[in-house]
Amino acid sequence: MDTPKHPPGRPRQPDALTPAERQRAYRARLAAAGRAVRVQRVIEDAFDSETQLIVERAFFEEQRHTLHNALLKIELLDEDRARLDRRNAYLEGELKRIEQRHTISLKEIVLLKQSLATKK
C-alpha cells in the first residue's frame, strides 16, 4: 500500500501572506506607531521591462562582440608568437653554426701562423 509522502514542514495556508506583503504590513504598523520607516531600496515605477530588456540585450551583444574580437586577437598573437619562436630557434642554430665556423677559422689562422713561424 503506497501512501503519498507529505513534504517537510507545516503545510502552507491558502490565505497566507507573501514575504513582500508581510514586510509592507510591518512598515505600515511602524508608520502608524510614529516610528521611522527605513527603506533600503526604492524601485522606480517608470521601469519598462521591454526597453530595459532591449538595453541589456544590446549591452550583452556588444560585450560578446568585444570578447570575440579579443579572443581572435589572442589567437593571432599566439600564432605570431609560435612563428617567432620557430624563427628564433632557426636563428640560434644559424648563430651556433657561424660561431663554429669562426672558431675553426681562428684555429686555422693560429696553425698557419705557427707553421709560418717555424718555416722562417
Side-chain angles (χ1 to χ4, degrees), residues 17-109:
L17 298 176
T18 64
E21 291 170 336
R22 270 190 260 130
Q23 184 65 32
R24 194 175 302 120
Y26 172 73
R27 286 194 188 116
R29 285 194 307 274
L30 282 180
R35 297 176 66 190
V37 178
R38 192 168 151 203
V39 178
Q40 295 289 334
R41 190 176 95 181
V42 177
I43 299 175
E44 296 180 14
D45 291 335
F47 178 76
D48 183 13
S49 63
E50 292 180 10
T51 307
Q52 187 67 25
L53 185 63
I54 291 170
V55 170
E56 288 179 359
R57 186 175 295 144
F59 172 75
F60 287 120
E61 284 296 323
E62 180 184 344
Q63 292 298 317
R64 187 178 294 120
H65 181 69
T66 304
L67 175 64
H68 178 71
N69 287 342
L71 291 174
L72 286 177
K73 285 180 183 178
I74 289 172
E75 187 177 329
L76 290 174
L77 289 173
D78 281 344
E79 290 174 2
D80 285 346
R81 184 188 49 79
R83 182 182 52 81
L84 291 173
D85 284 345
R86 287 191 303 270
R87 176 78 174 151
N88 190 28
Y90 168 75
L91 291 175
E92 284 178 352
E94 284 293 309
L95 181 62
K96 285 180 183 177
R97 190 177 57 80
I98 290 172
E99 284 177 347
Q100 287 174 351
R101 278 198 344 214
H102 180 68
T103 303
I104 291 170
S105 298
L106 285 176
K107 285 181 182 177
E108 288 176 355
I109 290 173

